Amino acid sequence: MQHTSEASEAAVPQDHHVSDLLDRRKTQKAEAVPISVDTETTMPLDASSQLSTISTTLPATSLRRRLTTYLALSKPRLSFLMVLTTATAYSLYPVPAVLLSSTTIAPSLSALTLVFLTAGTGLCSASANAFNMLMEPHHDAKMSRTRNRPLVRGLITKRGAFAFAATAGVLGVGGLWFGVNPTVAFLGGFTIFLYAGVYTPMKRISVLNTWVGAIVGSIPPLMGWAAAAGQSAAGSGNWQELLLGEDNAGGWLLAALLFAWQFPHFNALSWTIREEYKNAGFRMLAWTNMKMNGRVALRYSLLFIPICFGLTWCGVTDRGFLVTSSVVNAWMVREAWKFWRKEGQKGSARGLFWASVWHLPVVMVLAMAHKQGLWEGIWRRTFGEEDERHDVWDGDEEDLDGEPGRISSALPLAAVKA
């Protein structure tokens, strides 16, 4: 009996040893299993959050940290997009014949004006974005994409953010006023008001906030167009002439392109984090009406086709743009169709998002490459051919000796007065 008792007591620790060994093996197997990442809803962090992370690694009192924080407040990717669309519209403006480089020694459009235009637009965008962050840090803290922004992380005080936003706004609008023209300055200031004063609070009230945000995004092309139109204005150069004149349809078509683009882009992005928008109290179609969210994205994607056709019809781009833009637009429509049919599932939201990221810059570059008369001008300058369409004088030599020759309609009234 004593022997049996001793044996049973010896078996107890052995059983414990076997049990521990099995537990360790189970743990090792569990650790060896790769963690699955839900790529369906994974989207890159916004640039502001990434810059905030960089700021935290820098010395608290360093100038580099302060500048990085200010850059994070400006939402650099969004601001760059606004500057890009403004400069594109400026370059696409059909310059009158009398101002073409083949007619005059001076450049067609002022490079200095372009500097003021891009700098002022960037500052206005930075101001609007900083005011936007200033108004909703508590809500940004509830979302994964925005919880790392400067005000949420405490990298800057609200007073400091307000000072930056106000300074950027004043400098931006002031630069546009003195360096471009009052119409463009007004549009820059209106962008700040509409984005910070209307769009931002409306996000928690109605899904129509997306349409208001799209209007904000459509204004920069009008700014670029009005800046170029102001340099060849035949009249007083007021806002009616620069925006509502008969030759300004191209500017409104570019604005329509930006307006339409924002729906497939944002609707796809918001779908991936729809629950976070819901928890943060932001009213977006992605969670209030998922089916309508897909329909709206598809509907506005289809608008790219007639808009690009209109740019050619109005003489902004050549006929080749119809072909090249149709290829890119067809790709966008295809992704929007999949997004609508699959209701964002099976990677369709991610596919549409990345299609939209590439779509806009590609269409803008194609439009500049197909600007009406661009390649003809390059051909003439290369081979030294003259273009009779750019002749300023309709009179002959006898008119010059006697009665002044008649000036063609291509010459602006301002040039005649000079």
Side-chain angles (χ1 to χ4, degrees):
M1 292 290 297
Q2 184 177 1
H3 177 74
T4 303
S5 176
E6 291 176 356
S8 61
E9 290 176 359
V12 172
Q14 184 176 0
D15 291 340
H16 281 298
H17 177 71
V18 173
S19 178
D20 291 342
L21 182 61
L22 292 174
D23 290 340
R24 290 177 184 176
R25 289 180 177 178
K26 290 180 180 180
T27 303
Q28 291 174 354
K29 289 181 179 180
E31 293 176 350
V33 176
I35 299 174
S36 61
V37 178
D38 186 8
T39 58
E40 179 73 26
T41 60
T42 302
M43 286 291 179
L45 294 176
D46 64 356
S48 297
S49 297
Q50 296 176 4
L51 288 169
S52 296
T53 301
I54 296 176
S55 295
T56 58
T57 63
L58 301 173
T61 58
S62 68
L63 177 61
R64 185 181 175 187
R65 173 168 176 158
R66 181 173 299 179
L67 293 177
T68 304
T69 301
Y70 288 151
L71 186 60
L73 282 173
S74 69
K75 297 184 183 178
R77 288 177 184 168
L78 180 57
S79 295
F80 175 76
L81 178 62
M82 297 298 99
V83 172
L84 174 65
T85 56
T86 304
T88 300
Y90 183 83
S91 66
L92 284 175
Y93 182 81
V95 180
V98 72
L99 294 181
L100 289 174
S101 56
S102 59
T103 305
T104 63
I105 299 177
S108 301
L109 294 175
S110 170
L112 183 60
T113 300
L114 179 60
V115 171
F116 275 101
L117 175 66
T118 53
T121 302
L123 287 169
C124 287
S125 178
S127 174
N129 292 325
F131 277 123
N132 169 264
M133 290 190 194
L134 186 63
M135 297 174 65
E136 50 186 23
H138 299 297
H139 306 302
D140 283 342
K142 301 174 183 177
M143 301 182 62
S144 59
R145 291 188 73 252
T146 57
R147 65 170 58 125
N148 202 36
R149 285 178 173 176
L151 283 163
V152 180
R153 294 290 299 270
L155 297 175
I156 190 172
T157 64
K158 288 187 175 182
R159 180 179 297 179
F162 178 83
F164 170 77
T167 302
V170 170
L171 291 177
V173 174
L176 293 173
W177 182 283
F178 292 105
V180 187
N181 60 59
T183 299
V184 177
F186 172 81
L187 290 174
F190 183 64
T191 300
I192 299 173
F193 165 75
L194 197 60
Y195 189 75
V198 180
Y199 166 74
T200 299
M202 197 173 183
K203 289 163 64 178
R204 301 181 58 80
I205 300 174
S206 170
V207 295
L208 293 177
N209 71 82
T210 306
W211 277 260
V212 176
I215 294 175
V216 175
S218 68
I219 294 177
L222 287 177
M223 295 170 63
W225 191 271
Q231 297 184 53
S232 57
S236 61
N238 56 22
W239 67 273
Q240 292 97 331
E241 183 180 3
L242 302 186
L243 295 177
L244 303 181
E246 60 181 7
D247 297 327
N248 294 324
W252 288 99
L253 285 170
L254 291 172
L257 180 68
L258 265 293
F259 180 84
W261 173 84
Q262 292 174 82
F263 290 96
H265 176 75
F266 180 75
N267 287 17
L269 171 63
S270 60
W271 187 92
T272 62
I273 51 176
R274 58 194 181 282
E275 291 301 325
E276 294 189 17
Y277 273 117
K278 183 177 181 180
N279 295 333
F282 295 131
R283 299 193 61 80
M284 304 297 173
L285 281 176
W287 68 267
T288 60
N289 193 332
M290 293 186 187
K291 292 185 178 180
M292 185 177 179
N293 187 60
R295 288 199 306 269
V296 169
L298 176 59
R299 186 182 306 152
Y300 283 98
S301 296
L302 289 169
L303 282 179
F304 295 142
I305 298 173
I307 290 173
C308 290
F309 174 82
L311 288 172
T312 299
W313 186 76
C314 291
V316 178
T317 58
D318 59 31
R319 294 180 181 179
F321 181 66
L322 289 177
V323 178
T324 55
S325 65
S326 294
V327 175
V328 184
N329 291 334
W331 172 45
M332 189 73 165
V333 171
R334 175 176 175 270
E335 294 298 329
W337 173 268
K338 290 165 59 178
F339 178 69
W340 170 64
R341 289 296 301 271
K342 298 179 181 180
E343 297 185 356
Q345 303 291 342
K346 299 181 180 179
S348 59
R350 188 177 182 85
L352 178 58
F353 172 78
W354 285 111
S356 67
V357 168
W358 285 101
H359 175 269
L360 184 61
V362 170
V363 169
M364 290 292 181
V365 170
L366 287 175
M368 289 188 290
H370 287 284
K371 182 180 179 180
Q372 184 68 44
L374 173 65
W375 296 105
E376 291 86 345
I378 294 176
W379 178 273
R380 288 192 302 271
R381 287 192 293 272
T382 302
F383 296 97
E385 297 181 6
E386 295 182 358
D387 186 4
E388 296 180 356
R389 294 175 303 172
H390 296 161
D391 290 341
V392 178
W393 293 95
D394 291 335
D396 51 21
E397 294 180 358
E398 295 180 358
D399 293 329
L400 296 177
D401 295 333
E403 184 180 356
R406 180 167 52 89
I407 301 175
S408 68
S409 59
L411 185 62
L413 181 60
V416 177
K417 292 180 180 179

